[in-house]
Amino acid sequence: MNDDDTPPAVEPTAPPGERSESSDAEGPRAYPHPEEPSKRDEPPSGARQSNRVLVTSPRTRAATRPRHPGTREIDEQTGLGEVYMRSLIRSQLRLALSVCVAVTGVIGGLPALFLLAPGLGDLRLLGVPLPWLLLAVLIYPLFVVCAWWYVRQAERVEQDFAELVDHR
Amino acid sequence: MSLAAVVLVVVATVSIGTFGLRLSRTTSDFYVASRTVSPLWNASAIGGEYLSAASFLGIAGLILAYGADMLWLPVGWTGGYLVLLVLVSAPLRRSGAYTLPDFAEARLESMRVRRAASVLVVLIGWFYLMPQFQSAGLVLRTLTGAPVWAGGLLVAVVVVVNVLSGGMRSITFVQAFQYWLKLTALAVPVIFLLLAWRGDGMPGITDQQWLVPLAGTREHPVYATYSVILATFLGTMGLPHVLVRFYTNPDGRAARRTTLVVLGLLGAFYLLPALYGALGRIYAPDLLVSGHGDAVVLTLPERVVGGALGDLLGALVTGGAFAAFLSTSSGLTVSVAGVIAQDILHGGVRSFRVATVLAVAMPLMLATMARALPVADVVGLAFAVAASTFCPLLVLGIWWRRLTDAGALAGLLVSGGLACTAVMWTIVSGPLRGWPGVLLAQPAAWTVPIAFGVMVVVSLLTPGRVPAGVARTMVRLHAPETLDVDRGDWHPRGGA
C-alpha cells in the first residue's frame, strides 16, 4: 500500500542474511506468480519512472534485491511471512490459553472443592460463609486482575511483533 | 410513585434517543455509530446493554429461592467477558465484522454458513428478548394491575420508537446512561436496606441447605453447576448484541481495553444482587411460596425500609428495572433487526425499519404464549445456545486455520439444533423430572462439546474446503493495526 512513499531500494536494511533468500526460495510455494502485475511487485527502484525497465536475469535480481520489511513478506505470503504470522498467532494463543487454564482451574475447581470438602461451607470469615465470600465478592477483583495482566501482555506481544516485522 | 419512575425512565430514554437523531444519517451511522464512541462510553454502553432483567431482577430471585448455587450465574456472566477478552475481542474487532454472520462470511467465505449464522442470531435474540418482555409484564402488573401483556407491549413500543428514531448512535448514549442508572438503582437502596437490617439487630440465616453450595433443592446440582458455568463463560461471546458494540472501538487494542473496563463495571454491579437475595431470604421468604421470586428486588425497599423513603427507593428500583428491560431489548433489537435487514430483506435503512418491527413482534408473541419461568433461567438458555454455536465458530475460526465451511455449517446445524430443541422444550412444555429434565434445562454441558467435536471432525474430513483466503484473513484478524499490511479487501455488507 505505501510502497510509493517508502521505496525499499534506499532502505537501510537489517542483518545481512539468509532470510530474504530463503523467503524468495520459498515464495512460489504460497504464491505461484511473484511477478504478477501487482503494485508491490514492481522492480524496487523503477517504481515511478514508467518508461524505464530494469532488465536483469532472475538470479541477479534475487541476489541484489534489497531485504524488505517483514510487512512485505506478509503481504506477499512468502514462507517467511507465514512464519511471522504463525509466530504471532502462536504467542497470542499461548497467552490466551494460559489465562483460560488459570480460570478453568479456579472456576472448575471450586465446585469440586465444595463437593469434596462440604465442611468448607460452614467456615465463616467476618461472619460470611466462605463460599459466599469467594463467589459473591472475591472472584470479581480476581477477574479484573487477570484481565489487566492479559491486556498488558497481549499489547507487549503485539509491540514486539511490530518491531520485528517493521524494522525501519 | 413507582409508576412515575417508570414514566420518567421511558421519557428520558426516548428523549436521549431522539437527541441523537440529527447525528445519525447514513446507513453505517445507523448500525455502528460511525465508530466515534470513546472507550469509557463504550464500556458503559456494553454494561448497560448487557445487564438485563435477568441480572437486575432474576439473579436475586434465584438466589432467594435456591441459595449459594445460584451465585454462579453472575460469576459466569462476568467471567464470560474474561474469556471473550482473551480469545476473541481484538481479532473480532479487527475482522471488521458488524455482526456474527459477517464474521462467518469473512472467515469462511461461504454464504451458506452466513445464512445459518443469521438464523441463529435471530433465534438467540428472540430467546433473550422473550423473558425481558415477560418480566416487564410482571412488573407492570404488580404496579398497576394491568394485564401481563401490557408491560411487554410498552417496552416493545418504546424500543421500536427509539431504535427507529436514533439508530445505533443514540442507542450507545442511551445504553451508557442505562448502566449508571441501573447501578445507582440497586446500590442506593441497598445502603438503606443494610442500615435497616443493622437496626434490626442483624438477623442471620440459619438454613444450611440454602447457604452451602451443592446442597440445595435442585436436582443434580453438580451437573447443573458445571453446565451453567460452561454456558455462561462461553456463551457471552456469542450473544448477538455484544459483537456490534465491539465494532464501535476504533481498533483491536481499544477493544481489549474496553473489555477490561467492562469487567470492572460488571464486577461492581454483580456485588449487589447477592445482597438482595440474602436480605430477601430474611425479610421476604413468602415470595417463594407465591412464586414471585423475581419480584424480590422490587419488594424489599418498601417492606424493610418502609414509609415515604421506602416508597422512594421502591420507585428507584422499579425505574432501574425498566431501564434494564429497555436497554437490553434495544441492543438485541438493533442486532436482530440488522441481521434480518441485511440477510433476509435487501438491506438499507428502509429494510432496517421493517426488520425492527419483525425483531420485536415475534418474541412479544412468544412471551404471551410461553410459561412463566424465572427470567434468569430463560436468559441462561439463550446463553446455552450461544455457547454451543457461536463460541466454537468464533474460537475455531480465529485460532484454527483448518476450519472449513462444511465443518462450521455441520457444527452450527447439529449443535444449534440440539440446543434450540432443548430450549423450546423447556420453555413450552416445562421441565421433566430427573436426568432428562436437567439435561434439557441445562443443555450446555453436552451441546458445547458436541459443537466443537462436529466442527473439528468435519473440518478434518474436508481438508479441500479450507477457504482460499485463510492466510490473508489470519493477517487481518491478528496483525496489529499499527502495521501497514494487506488485510484483504473484504467489507461487511451494508457498511459505507
Side-chain angles (χ1 to χ4, degrees), chain B residues 59-89:
Chain B
I59 293 173
L62 283 180
I63 290 177
L64 165 69
Y66 302 105
D69 282 345
M70 294 300 125
L71 293 172
W72 284 108
L73 270 177
V75 169
W77 286 341
T78 312
Y81 274 95
L82 184 58
V83 180
L84 186 152
L85 167 70
V86 303
L87 285 177
V88 304
S89 61

mmCIF file of all heavy atoms in Angstrom, chain B residues 59-89:
data_model
loop_
_atom_site.group_PDB
_atom_site.id
_atom_site.type_symbol
_atom_site.label_atom_id
_atom_site.label_comp_id
_atom_site.label_asym_id
_atom_site.label_seq_id
_atom_site.Cartn_x
_atom_site.Cartn_y
_atom_site.Cartn_z
ATOM 1 N N ILE B 59 -31.423 -12.659 39.095
ATOM 2 C CA ILE B 59 -30.419 -13.315 39.932
ATOM 3 C C ILE B 59 -30.843 -13.301 41.392
ATOM 4 O O ILE B 59 -30.793 -14.320 42.078
ATOM 5 C CB ILE B 59 -29.055 -12.627 39.780
ATOM 6 C CG1 ILE B 59 -28.528 -12.861 38.373
ATOM 7 C CG2 ILE B 59 -28.064 -13.157 40.795
ATOM 8 C CD1 ILE B 59 -27.276 -12.076 38.084
ATOM 9 N N ALA B 60 -31.264 -12.133 41.867
ATOM 10 C CA ALA B 60 -31.688 -12.033 43.266
ATOM 11 C C ALA B 60 -32.834 -13.009 43.537
ATOM 12 O O ALA B 60 -32.871 -13.661 44.583
ATOM 13 C CB ALA B 60 -32.103 -10.606 43.592
ATOM 14 N N GLY B 61 -33.740 -13.130 42.568
ATOM 15 C CA GLY B 61 -34.864 -14.050 42.734
ATOM 16 C C GLY B 61 -34.402 -15.495 42.844
ATOM 17 O O GLY B 61 -34.879 -16.245 43.708
ATOM 18 N N LEU B 62 -33.475 -15.884 41.979
ATOM 19 C CA LEU B 62 -32.995 -17.266 42.033
ATOM 20 C C LEU B 62 -32.174 -17.525 43.297
ATOM 21 O O LEU B 62 -32.233 -18.613 43.870
ATOM 22 C CB LEU B 62 -32.155 -17.583 40.792
ATOM 23 C CG LEU B 62 -32.918 -17.841 39.492
ATOM 24 C CD1 LEU B 62 -31.952 -18.143 38.363
ATOM 25 C CD2 LEU B 62 -33.906 -18.994 39.654
ATOM 26 N N ILE B 63 -31.389 -16.527 43.710
ATOM 27 C CA ILE B 63 -30.609 -16.714 44.944
ATOM 28 C C ILE B 63 -31.553 -16.849 46.132
ATOM 29 O O ILE B 63 -31.363 -17.706 47.006
ATOM 30 C CB ILE B 63 -29.630 -15.542 45.145
ATOM 31 C CG1 ILE B 63 -28.529 -15.617 44.092
ATOM 32 C CG2 ILE B 63 -29.023 -15.566 46.543
ATOM 33 C CD1 ILE B 63 -27.540 -14.486 44.126
ATOM 34 N N LEU B 64 -32.586 -16.029 46.146
ATOM 35 C CA LEU B 64 -33.600 -16.150 47.194
ATOM 36 C C LEU B 64 -34.153 -17.568 47.244
ATOM 37 O O LEU B 64 -34.316 -18.155 48.304
ATOM 38 C CB LEU B 64 -34.733 -15.142 46.921
ATOM 39 C CG LEU B 64 -36.037 -15.351 47.678
ATOM 40 C CD1 LEU B 64 -35.851 -15.053 49.156
ATOM 41 C CD2 LEU B 64 -37.139 -14.469 47.106
ATOM 42 N N ALA B 65 -34.397 -18.129 46.073
ATOM 43 C CA ALA B 65 -35.031 -19.443 46.039
ATOM 44 C C ALA B 65 -34.046 -20.578 46.313
ATOM 45 O O ALA B 65 -34.340 -21.485 47.077
ATOM 46 C CB ALA B 65 -35.701 -19.656 44.683
ATOM 47 N N TYR B 66 -32.868 -20.527 45.669
ATOM 48 C CA TYR B 66 -32.003 -21.708 45.702
ATOM 49 C C TYR B 66 -30.675 -21.508 46.408
ATOM 50 O O TYR B 66 -29.904 -22.458 46.545
ATOM 51 C CB TYR B 66 -31.763 -22.205 44.275
ATOM 52 C CG TYR B 66 -33.027 -22.551 43.542
ATOM 53 C CD1 TYR B 66 -33.516 -21.708 42.556
ATOM 54 C CD2 TYR B 66 -33.744 -23.701 43.850
ATOM 55 C CE1 TYR B 66 -34.690 -22.001 41.887
ATOM 56 C CE2 TYR B 66 -34.913 -24.007 43.184
ATOM 57 C CZ TYR B 66 -35.382 -23.155 42.203
ATOM 58 O OH TYR B 66 -36.537 -23.456 41.541
ATOM 59 N N GLY B 67 -30.346 -20.291 46.787
ATOM 60 C CA GLY B 67 -29.153 -20.085 47.593
ATOM 61 C C GLY B 67 -27.848 -20.096 46.821
ATOM 62 O O GLY B 67 -27.779 -19.703 45.659
ATOM 63 N N ALA B 68 -26.809 -20.610 47.506
ATOM 64 C CA ALA B 68 -25.430 -20.435 47.067
ATOM 65 C C ALA B 68 -25.164 -20.897 45.639
ATOM 66 O O ALA B 68 -24.358 -20.288 44.939
ATOM 67 C CB ALA B 68 -24.496 -21.167 48.021
ATOM 68 N N ASP B 69 -25.827 -21.970 45.172
ATOM 69 C CA ASP B 69 -25.543 -22.464 43.822
ATOM 70 C C ASP B 69 -25.796 -21.408 42.754
ATOM 71 O O ASP B 69 -25.173 -21.416 41.693
ATOM 72 C CB ASP B 69 -26.409 -23.687 43.527
ATOM 73 C CG ASP B 69 -25.859 -24.921 44.205
ATOM 74 O OD1 ASP B 69 -24.700 -24.878 44.642
ATOM 75 O OD2 ASP B 69 -26.605 -25.919 44.310
ATOM 76 N N MET B 70 -26.732 -20.503 43.033
ATOM 77 C CA MET B 70 -27.100 -19.517 42.023
ATOM 78 C C MET B 70 -26.078 -18.394 41.903
ATOM 79 O O MET B 70 -26.133 -17.587 40.995
ATOM 80 C CB MET B 70 -28.474 -18.927 42.337
ATOM 81 C CG MET B 70 -29.568 -19.938 42.235
ATOM 82 S SD MET B 70 -29.638 -20.631 40.562
ATOM 83 C CE MET B 70 -29.507 -22.369 40.913
ATOM 84 N N LEU B 71 -25.127 -18.348 42.857
ATOM 85 C CA LEU B 71 -24.075 -17.322 42.750
ATOM 86 C C LEU B 71 -23.248 -17.513 41.488
ATOM 87 O O LEU B 71 -22.586 -16.586 41.021
ATOM 88 C CB LEU B 71 -23.154 -17.384 43.978
ATOM 89 C CG LEU B 71 -23.809 -16.993 45.299
ATOM 90 C CD1 LEU B 71 -22.880 -17.275 46.458
ATOM 91 C CD2 LEU B 71 -24.183 -15.525 45.290
ATOM 92 N N TRP B 72 -23.292 -18.723 40.920
ATOM 93 C CA TRP B 72 -22.511 -18.972 39.702
ATOM 94 C C TRP B 72 -23.008 -18.183 38.509
ATOM 95 O O TRP B 72 -22.249 -17.908 37.590
ATOM 96 C CB TRP B 72 -22.501 -20.469 39.380
ATOM 97 C CG TRP B 72 -21.588 -21.225 40.268
ATOM 98 C CD1 TRP B 72 -21.947 -22.076 41.275
ATOM 99 C CD2 TRP B 72 -20.155 -21.199 40.266
ATOM 100 N NE1 TRP B 72 -20.830 -22.568 41.895
ATOM 101 C CE2 TRP B 72 -19.716 -22.042 41.284
ATOM 102 C CE3 TRP B 72 -19.218 -20.527 39.497
ATOM 103 C CZ2 TRP B 72 -18.373 -22.251 41.563
ATOM 104 C CZ3 TRP B 72 -17.877 -20.721 39.760
ATOM 105 C CH2 TRP B 72 -17.467 -21.578 40.794
ATOM 106 N N LEU B 73 -24.299 -17.855 38.491
ATOM 107 C CA LEU B 73 -24.827 -17.136 37.326
ATOM 108 C C LEU B 73 -24.130 -15.794 37.123
ATOM 109 O O LEU B 73 -23.569 -15.553 36.059
ATOM 110 C CB LEU B 73 -26.340 -16.938 37.462
ATOM 111 C CG LEU B 73 -27.228 -18.032 36.900
ATOM 112 C CD1 LEU B 73 -28.682 -17.707 37.182
ATOM 113 C CD2 LEU B 73 -27.026 -18.168 35.403
ATOM 114 N N PRO B 74 -24.147 -14.885 38.130
ATOM 115 C CA PRO B 74 -23.436 -13.620 37.903
ATOM 116 C C PRO B 74 -21.937 -13.811 37.711
ATOM 117 O O PRO B 74 -21.321 -13.079 36.931
ATOM 118 C CB PRO B 74 -23.726 -12.811 39.171
ATOM 119 C CG PRO B 74 -24.204 -13.780 40.173
ATOM 120 C CD PRO B 74 -24.854 -14.893 39.415
ATOM 121 N N VAL B 75 -21.351 -14.810 38.369
ATOM 122 C CA VAL B 75 -19.922 -15.075 38.169
ATOM 123 C C VAL B 75 -19.669 -15.404 36.698
ATOM 124 O O VAL B 75 -18.757 -14.865 36.062
ATOM 125 C CB VAL B 75 -19.444 -16.231 39.073
ATOM 126 C CG1 VAL B 75 -18.050 -16.686 38.662
ATOM 127 C CG2 VAL B 75 -19.453 -15.816 40.528
ATOM 128 N N GLY B 76 -20.511 -16.259 36.146
ATOM 129 C CA GLY B 76 -20.339 -16.644 34.746
ATOM 130 C C GLY B 76 -20.631 -15.503 33.791
ATOM 131 O O GLY B 76 -19.950 -15.336 32.780
ATOM 132 N N TRP B 77 -21.636 -14.694 34.117
ATOM 133 C CA TRP B 77 -21.973 -13.578 33.230
ATOM 134 C C TRP B 77 -20.869 -12.527 33.225
ATOM 135 O O TRP B 77 -20.754 -11.755 32.283
ATOM 136 C CB TRP B 77 -23.321 -12.965 33.619
ATOM 137 C CG TRP B 77 -24.448 -13.857 33.201
ATOM 138 C CD1 TRP B 77 -24.380 -14.847 32.264
ATOM 139 C CD2 TRP B 77 -25.785 -13.876 33.687
ATOM 140 N NE1 TRP B 77 -25.601 -15.465 32.142
ATOM 141 C CE2 TRP B 77 -26.473 -14.889 32.993
ATOM 142 C CE3 TRP B 77 -26.489 -13.128 34.639
ATOM 143 C CZ2 TRP B 77 -27.826 -15.169 33.217
ATOM 144 C CZ3 TRP B 77 -27.819 -13.402 34.852
ATOM 145 C CH2 TRP B 77 -28.490 -14.426 34.161
ATOM 146 N N THR B 78 -20.073 -12.468 34.281
ATOM 147 C CA THR B 78 -18.905 -11.571 34.268
ATOM 148 C C THR B 78 -17.722 -12.293 33.632
ATOM 149 O O THR B 78 -17.047 -11.750 32.758
ATOM 150 C CB THR B 78 -18.520 -11.157 35.702
ATOM 151 O OG1 THR B 78 -19.709 -10.740 36.381
ATOM 152 C CG2 THR B 78 -17.532 -10.014 35.675
ATOM 153 N N GLY B 79 -17.476 -13.524 34.092
ATOM 154 C CA GLY B 79 -16.331 -14.278 33.593
ATOM 155 C C GLY B 79 -16.390 -14.502 32.090
ATOM 156 O O GLY B 79 -15.354 -14.622 31.437
ATOM 157 N N GLY B 80 -17.603 -14.530 31.536
ATOM 158 C CA GLY B 80 -17.739 -14.656 30.092
ATOM 159 C C GLY B 80 -16.961 -13.571 29.363
ATOM 160 O O GLY B 80 -16.409 -13.807 28.288
ATOM 161 N N TYR B 81 -16.908 -12.386 29.953
ATOM 162 C CA TYR B 81 -16.162 -11.302 29.319
ATOM 163 C C TYR B 81 -14.663 -11.515 29.400
ATOM 164 O O TYR B 81 -13.920 -11.028 28.555
ATOM 165 C CB TYR B 81 -16.546 -9.950 29.919
ATOM 166 C CG TYR B 81 -17.754 -9.380 29.230
ATOM 167 C CD1 TYR B 81 -19.028 -9.580 29.740
ATOM 168 C CD2 TYR B 81 -17.619 -8.705 28.031
ATOM 169 C CE1 TYR B 81 -20.138 -9.093 29.082
ATOM 170 C CE2 TYR B 81 -18.716 -8.222 27.361
ATOM 171 C CZ TYR B 81 -19.980 -8.417 27.889
ATOM 172 O OH TYR B 81 -21.071 -7.956 27.218
ATOM 173 N N LEU B 82 -14.221 -12.237 30.431
ATOM 174 C CA LEU B 82 -12.789 -12.544 30.505
ATOM 175 C C LEU B 82 -12.414 -13.504 29.376
ATOM 176 O O LEU B 82 -11.414 -13.310 28.685
ATOM 177 C CB LEU B 82 -12.461 -13.143 31.873
ATOM 178 C CG LEU B 82 -10.987 -13.432 32.145
ATOM 179 C CD1 LEU B 82 -10.144 -12.184 32.010
ATOM 180 C CD2 LEU B 82 -10.814 -14.017 33.545
ATOM 181 N N VAL B 83 -13.244 -14.528 29.185
ATOM 182 C CA VAL B 83 -12.986 -15.470 28.104
ATOM 183 C C VAL B 83 -13.072 -14.745 26.765
ATOM 184 O O VAL B 83 -12.233 -14.923 25.872
ATOM 185 C CB VAL B 83 -13.987 -16.642 28.157
ATOM 186 C CG1 VAL B 83 -13.713 -17.624 27.031
ATOM 187 C CG2 VAL B 83 -13.901 -17.347 29.491
ATOM 188 N N LEU B 84 -14.075 -13.908 26.626
ATOM 189 C CA LEU B 84 -14.229 -13.126 25.406
ATOM 190 C C LEU B 84 -12.992 -12.257 25.171
ATOM 191 O O LEU B 84 -12.475 -12.156 24.063
ATOM 192 C CB LEU B 84 -15.477 -12.254 25.538
ATOM 193 C CG LEU B 84 -15.944 -11.430 24.345
ATOM 194 C CD1 LEU B 84 -17.450 -11.231 24.426
ATOM 195 C CD2 LEU B 84 -15.304 -10.069 24.308
ATOM 196 N N LEU B 85 -12.516 -11.633 26.254
ATOM 197 C CA LEU B 85 -11.344 -10.760 26.138
ATOM 198 C C LEU B 85 -10.147 -11.515 25.588
ATOM 199 O O LEU B 85 -9.503 -11.068 24.633
ATOM 200 C CB LEU B 85 -11.002 -10.170 27.512
ATOM 201 C CG LEU B 85 -9.645 -9.490 27.638
ATOM 202 C CD1 LEU B 85 -9.619 -8.194 26.857
ATOM 203 C CD2 LEU B 85 -9.301 -9.214 29.095
ATOM 204 N N VAL B 86 -9.834 -12.667 26.187
ATOM 205 C CA VAL B 86 -8.589 -13.329 25.802
ATOM 206 C C VAL B 86 -8.710 -14.084 24.480
ATOM 207 O O VAL B 86 -7.737 -14.207 23.760
ATOM 208 C CB VAL B 86 -8.058 -14.278 26.912
ATOM 209 C CG1 VAL B 86 -7.860 -13.513 28.193
ATOM 210 C CG2 VAL B 86 -8.946 -15.466 27.121
ATOM 211 N N LEU B 87 -9.898 -14.572 24.158
ATOM 212 C CA LEU B 87 -9.988 -15.400 22.955
ATOM 213 C C LEU B 87 -10.473 -14.662 21.718
ATOM 214 O O LEU B 87 -10.068 -14.984 20.607
ATOM 215 C CB LEU B 87 -10.899 -16.611 23.210
ATOM 216 C CG LEU B 87 -10.289 -17.711 24.068
ATOM 217 C CD1 LEU B 87 -11.303 -18.806 24.319
ATOM 218 C CD2 LEU B 87 -9.059 -18.297 23.401
ATOM 219 N N VAL B 88 -11.352 -13.687 21.877
ATOM 220 C CA VAL B 88 -11.930 -13.124 20.661
ATOM 221 C C VAL B 88 -11.906 -11.604 20.523
ATOM 222 O O VAL B 88 -12.055 -11.115 19.407
ATOM 223 C CB VAL B 88 -13.392 -13.604 20.426
ATOM 224 C CG1 VAL B 88 -13.475 -15.099 20.393
ATOM 225 C CG2 VAL B 88 -14.328 -13.054 21.462
ATOM 226 N N SER B 89 -11.732 -10.828 21.594
ATOM 227 C CA SER B 89 -12.046 -9.398 21.464
ATOM 228 C C SER B 89 -11.265 -8.691 20.364
ATOM 229 O O SER B 89 -11.859 -8.102 19.457
ATOM 230 C CB SER B 89 -11.862 -8.680 22.800
ATOM 231 O OG SER B 89 -10.523 -8.778 23.225
#
